[in-house]
Amino acid sequence: MKKLLLSFTLLCFSLSSYSQNFQPGYFIDNEGEKIECLIDNPEAIKNPEGFQYKLSQNDEIKDKSIEEVKVFEILNTPYKFERAIVNLDLSKDDHKNLDDKRDPNYTLDTLFLQVAIEGKASLYSYKSKNLPARFFYSMDKGKIEPLIFKKYLVDDTKIRTNNRYKQQLINNLECHSIDPVQFSNLKYKDNSLIEIFTKYNNCQEEKFVNFTDKRRKGEWNLAVKAGVYYSAIKFEQMGSFSNEQDSDSFLSPRLGVEIEYIFPFLNNKFSILSSPSFQYSKTSNETLIYKKGFTPSNPDAWAGEKEDLFIDYSRIIIPLGIRYYYHLEKDINLYLQGAAVANILTDPSGAYNLENFQSNFTFEKTIADPNIDLGTGIRYKKMSLEIIYSINNVMRNEGFNGKLKNPITLNFGYNIL
């Protein structure tokens, strides 16, 4: 079973390189020709320097660089990019890398700017790995200019901010419906700038496009799950005389529900989930129990006696974890997941029981430790099938430690929401 889980996990990773998401779109080349196509939508956080596309679903994948394309857009998404030669501020934003200059540290660069608002007043953004977010604007489709914002040091200790962008927008976004106080409170962030540009374009009563309205929304899933749990128990007798033995493998039914929230970014690939479930296990195993006093001639000697050890327990399993999806086809998704798990025994006193042996083992104090679950699965439409491997799954008391060996769960799920 462990080999099966490992093989399926490796399959997920190998297929991930093919899980591109080609969606309808277009690009405009340097000659001004508009080419309709399918564009790969990686939903990367940073602005691209190029993209991959196909002319049809079965066509070969091709590449386009920033030198070859003026504009490209993935339809019905917030992703429209426009090539522009702009002044890019290379100043850092963290305290350790601030300088003492109030003016931006500009370099002239050719970038794909993401279009947030397109209208009489247009707003653009640029996000990269090494720089804080930068914003740009243009009026009446004219020259694209940077909105100036920079943190800098005074006397090597005090941090000041150049908020020139506020005055830039006061000068350009003048409208009766915008209170000047709004500019004073304006933050150099996506939502704040989008709000003020939207108000201005509405005030002008001209058509405009707010591409951020096309952002994906998060999704909730609710599923019922039924499965089977496969394991054995490695017993360790505690006390002055330690003793380790393995039980036979056994199967346990499991039933539960799964609540999942899929985040709207990165093509809906990440989610958080919880899948509370109920499991019932029952088995018995002949084991060797050691105790002093079996030998009348030597009461202090330890001796072993074979005894039937009964395992009969039910537990409520409450995991909280994360999941990552690989989108293969429209209705087929592979996923990997991990979760921290709390275990609650419903009848701690009955988890372990020895048939005849008289001892001072306090079985009523048996507890199930928290553990980690790692899993992989496949989802087709509303149905799912997954394999979960549990790490450090232990039931313990003052007499025994019972470590669940190679615990594997096979779950079938069906989405009802």
Side-chain angles (χ1 to χ4, degrees), residues 2-229:
K2 288 177 68 177
K3 291 182 180 179
L4 178 62
L5 177 64
L6 178 61
S7 299
F8 198 82
T9 302
L10 292 175
L11 176 64
C12 283
F13 279 115
S14 65
L15 288 173
S16 66
S17 59
Y18 300 100
S19 61
Q20 292 172 294
N21 185 24
F22 285 90
Q23 297 177 344
Y26 70 88
F27 64 87
I28 299 174
D29 62 20
N30 290 334
E31 285 70 44
E33 183 181 359
K34 182 178 180 180
I35 293 94
E36 295 182 351
C37 59
L38 299 171
I39 299 177
D40 180 33
N41 181 9
E43 288 196 308
I45 296 174
K46 62 180 183 178
N47 289 43
E49 297 179 357
F51 59 91
Q52 292 188 316
Y53 74 100
K54 298 190 294 185
L55 294 178
S56 64
Q57 192 64 49
N58 297 320
D59 193 26
E60 64 176 328
I61 299 174
K62 301 175 184 178
D63 295 287
K64 281 294 181 183
S65 68
I66 192 170
E67 291 82 11
E68 302 172 282
V69 174
K70 292 181 178 179
V71 175
F72 75 93
E73 179 182 354
I74 304 173
L75 300 177
N76 302 313
T77 77
Y79 300 110
K80 179 176 182 179
F81 293 91
E82 183 175 334
R83 186 180 69 191
I85 301 174
V86 293
N87 283 317
L88 177 65
D89 184 8
L90 301 181
S91 306
K92 303 290 186 178
D93 209 14
D94 57 294
H95 184 272
K96 292 182 180 179
N97 292 302
L98 294 180
D99 60 34
D100 59 356
K101 296 180 177 60
R102 187 176 187 276
D103 293 330
N105 177 23
Y106 281 138
T107 184
L108 198 63
D109 206 345
T110 302
L111 307 172
F112 269 137
L113 300 180
Q114 184 169 355
V115 185
I117 302 287
E118 187 174 65
K120 184 174 180 62
S122 297
L123 175 67
Y124 311 84
S125 67
Y126 179 75
K127 296 173 183 178
S128 67
K129 183 178 180 181
N130 300 316
L131 292 175
R134 304 298 188 202
F135 297 96
F136 302 80
Y137 78 105
S138 69
M139 302 301 299
D140 298 309
K141 301 189 183 300
K143 184 179 179 182
I144 299 176
E145 302 281 357
L147 288 168
I148 298 170
F149 171 84
K150 183 188 175 184
K151 292 181 180 180
Y152 61 98
L153 288 175
V154 176
D155 299 329
D156 295 327
T157 55
K158 298 177 182 178
I159 298 177
R160 297 285 176 84
T161 304
N162 180 349
N163 289 319
R164 175 66 183 170
Y165 73 95
K166 294 183 180 181
Q167 189 60 52
Q168 290 175 281
L169 296 181
I170 289 174
N171 295 341
N172 286 281
L173 304 187
E174 185 178 355
C175 183
H176 63 84
S177 64
I178 303 178
D179 190 331
V181 175
Q182 291 181 267
F183 291 105
S184 300
N185 297 329
L186 193 63
K187 296 180 180 178
Y188 196 77
K189 294 184 179 297
D190 291 86
N191 292 341
S192 187
L193 293 171
I194 288 167
E195 182 181 359
I196 202 77
F197 273 78
T198 299
K199 285 185 176 180
Y200 175 78
N201 283 293
N202 279 325
C203 179
Q204 299 302 310
E205 297 183 353
E206 293 189 16
K207 290 184 178 180
F208 71 98
V209 180
N210 183 348
F211 285 92
T212 62
D213 286 342
K214 302 178 182 182
R215 288 174 179 167
R216 293 176 183 267
K217 293 180 171 59
E219 299 176 14
W220 285 98
N221 286 327
L222 178 63
V224 291
K225 291 205 165 183
V228 62
Y229 177 85

Side-chain angles (χ1 to χ4, degrees), residues 364-391:
E364 68 276 3
K365 295 183 179 179
T366 300
I367 61 171
D369 288 352
N371 68 279
I372 299 294
D373 278 358
L374 300 176
T376 184
I378 184 168
R379 175 175 289 172
Y380 174 69
K381 294 185 178 179
K382 289 180 173 291
M383 296 178 290
S384 65
L385 185 67
E386 67 185 16
I387 303 172
I388 297 172
Y389 180 72
S390 299
I391 300 174

